[in-house]
Amino acid sequence: MTVSYPQGTSRRAALGALGLAGVGALTAGCGSPLAAGIAGTGPDATSLTYWNLFTGGDGINMVAMTDRFRARHPRVHVDAVTLAWGTPYYTKLALAVIGNRPPDVAITHLSRLPTLADGNLVEPLRADDLAAHGLTGDRFTTAAWRKGQVGGSQYAIPLDTHPFVMFYRTDVCRKAGLLDASGKLKPIEGTDGLIAALSACAKVTGGYGGVVNVNADPATCWRWFDTLYGQLGGQVLADNGTRIVLDDAKAERALSFARELTVQRKLMPSNIDGSGVTQLFASGKVGLLFDGEWQIPTYQGAKTPFSVAPVPNLFGGTYHCFADSHALILPRNARRDARRRDESLTLVRGLLDNSLIWAKGGHIPAFREIQDSATFRKMEPQSQYVPAAKAAIYDPAGWYSGAGSDFENIMGFAVSAVEAGQLHPAAAIAQLRQKLADYAGKPAPVGGTQS
């Protein structure tokens, strides 16, 4: 069998760097769309293959969106394949492109897009093709649309923004005097304002005022730090991850504040895991929770009295908060013709048209037609934190960065140690520099030199 590879992508280098010298275990069941992509047999020419990584509530919502597309476009057969979240998904996607039989459409996190584009694994989207389907930048959240660009070219169409936000229990906050006449949280301004709000909640609960996950969840710790550090204007990486630009003073200020809340003032736990966080907030033992908006279905299911607001502007500068976005891409395929590209973009547009369903999981639709609709504006609590999507800051570009990456683990474990009182901020910063340097000095494993 002759296999052609996208220019600039070395099959041996990619597979070796990914630790997959053989892919037999991944191709079991040769009739499946997944096996077709990896083994090079390809999908049927009359169908579209769509890969995503959604399970749980998001998975249910995506199935509903895909089914609605099928009903409205009966001539287009869509094979939707759900793969494991994180690195396994991106590994399989790379293998499928390398095998020259990728899915027609796939989901990516925008934080992963620079690596995919630099590895020549995703197709740049032509402006005229996008315009023919009504996919132009003015119709999307600006921050998400721009994050879909690499080197001046559009590679991804954002489906959503999912920011790091502040949950609040309406019963606790009402007793604490933190709600206005409409039942919404009064503005919290600055670090002193947050300390005062947490203190007021603690008086009501008789324990802690708020909570953020500390143990065994480096991603959440990174998101919390990046929100604080980003509000100070700090950056961690530059030049596609090859240069570390961590600002020690800003990083120490952000870390010191996080540590003040847990270790010094004890307004938030310094030793707690995900299940403990859920238990505290669901049972009313804290008033505020800092987490991703994707936790909304958890607390709705528990019938918790709560709402959601953007994380406050704590340092007085330009407002930012951590976020990522799910986006739709066309993985690179030298055999894709104009008709197939058009049908693929029809699927992309169809999923966007149905993204009000997607918002049920807490995500803010990136497509303005949905985001600005009267129906979404009435959706609670999703409509309350739209400003967070507009102020989103994403993981820095780098082959080791992005959702579920080594970068998030390195950053998050150091932040966790500071919040737990195990490391002083200065020591954590020194540790971060040392560990990040090991990655910054290495070449990207995909899209490197041909061999």
Side-chain angles (χ1 to χ4, degrees), residues 239-300:
D239 298 338
N240 224 16
T242 61
R243 190 161 59 93
I244 301 167
V245 293
L246 190 68
D247 185 311
D248 289 9
K250 292 177 179 177
E252 184 161 359
R253 187 177 177 189
L255 288 170
S256 295
F257 180 67
R259 185 175 186 272
E260 179 181 356
L261 297 180
T262 57
V263 176
Q264 294 171 262
R265 294 184 181 271
K266 302 188 187 305
L267 291 170
M268 297 165 62
S270 61
N271 181 14
I272 194 165
D273 61 11
S275 61
V277 167
T278 302
Q279 193 276 332
L280 277 185
F281 190 72
S283 64
K285 294 180 180 178
V286 294
L288 303 179
L289 161 67
F290 300 92
D291 209 335
E293 40 82 334
W294 50 89
Q295 299 293 352
I296 284 174
T298 297
Y299 298 111
Q300 287 177 332

Side-chain angles (χ1 to χ4, degrees), residues 373-405:
S373 68
T375 304
F376 178 75
R377 288 178 177 178
K378 294 177 182 176
M379 188 176 286
E380 294 284 349
Q382 287 87 332
S383 61
Q384 298 302 310
Y385 50 88
V386 170
K390 298 177 179 180
I393 48 173
Y394 293 80
D395 282 4
W399 66 264
Y400 52 96
S401 181
S405 65

Side-chain angles (χ1 to χ4, degrees), residues 98-400:
I98 291 166
N100 205 25
R101 290 296 187 276
D104 295 288
V105 178
I107 284 287
T108 185
H109 290 89
L110 283 183
S111 61
R112 289 270 188 165
L113 183 65
T115 300
L116 295 176
D118 291 342
N120 209 24
L121 299 173
V122 59
E123 179 178 303
L125 303 170
R126 295 195 292 259
D128 54 345
D129 290 333
L130 294 176
H133 291 270
L135 304 174
T136 53
D138 60 311
R139 304 186 74 180
F140 290 83
T141 303
T142 300
W145 180 263
R146 289 177 177 170
K147 188 62 179 177
Q149 299 171 355
V150 179
S153 296
Q154 196 75 35
Y155 282 89
I157 305 301
L159 173 63
D160 67 41
T161 306
H162 43 277
F164 193 76
V165 293
M166 182 172 67
F167 292 69
Y168 61 96
R169 287 208 44 134
T170 52
D171 53 353
V172 173
C173 289
R174 182 176 292 108
K175 293 176 183 177
L178 299 177
L179 301 187
D180 62 20
S182 69
K184 303 298 182 185
L185 193 69
K186 296 176 183 177
I188 295 173
E189 298 179 359
T191 55
D192 289 344
L194 181 58
I195 289 170
L198 289 168
S199 299
C201 289
K203 289 181 181 178
V204 173
T205 65
Y208 295 111
V211 66
V212 68
N213 202 351
V214 175
N215 299 344
D217 186 6
T220 294
C221 294
W222 155 246
R223 294 165 188 145
W224 177 224
F225 168 78
D226 194 40
T227 297
L228 301 175
Y229 181 64
Q231 289 186 9
L232 292 166
Q235 299 181 39
V236 180
L237 305 177
D239 298 338
N240 224 16
T242 61
R243 190 161 59 93
I244 301 167
V245 293
L246 190 68
D247 185 311
D248 289 9
K250 292 177 179 177
E252 184 161 359
R253 187 177 177 189
L255 288 170
S256 295
F257 180 67
R259 185 175 186 272
E260 179 181 356
L261 297 180
T262 57
V263 176
Q264 294 171 262
R265 294 184 181 271
K266 302 188 187 305
L267 291 170
M268 297 165 62
S270 61
N271 181 14
I272 194 165
D273 61 11
S275 61
V277 167
T278 302
Q279 193 276 332
L280 277 185
F281 190 72
S283 64
K285 294 180 180 178
V286 294
L288 303 179
L289 161 67
F290 300 92
D291 209 335
E293 40 82 334
W294 50 89
Q295 299 293 352
I296 284 174
T298 297
Y299 298 111
Q300 287 177 332
K303 301 188 183 305
T304 303
F306 78 100
S307 191
V308 181
V311 175
N313 188 338
L314 297 171
F315 298 107
T318 301
Y319 180 69
H320 290 297
C321 69
F322 171 90
D324 207 339
S325 292
H326 299 113
L328 295 146
I329 56 173
L330 306 190
R332 187 175 288 277
N333 185 353
R335 300 168 61 177
R336 180 182 287 119
D337 59 19
R339 180 189 64 82
R340 198 168 194 88
R341 182 176 296 107
D342 182 72
E343 290 183 344
S344 297
L345 290 174
T346 297
L347 173 58
V348 170
R349 176 58 194 265
L351 293 173
L352 292 170
D353 286 339
N354 293 315
S355 57
L356 189 64
I357 297 172
W358 191 239
K360 294 178 181 179
H363 313 311
I364 300 171
F367 197 38
R368 293 288 301 277
E369 184 174 310
I370 304 299
Q371 185 187 127
D372 295 340
S373 68
T375 304
F376 178 75
R377 288 178 177 178
K378 294 177 182 176
M379 188 176 286
E380 294 284 349
Q382 287 87 332
S383 61
Q384 298 302 310
Y385 50 88
V386 170
K390 298 177 179 180
I393 48 173
Y394 293 80
D395 282 4
W399 66 264
Y400 52 96

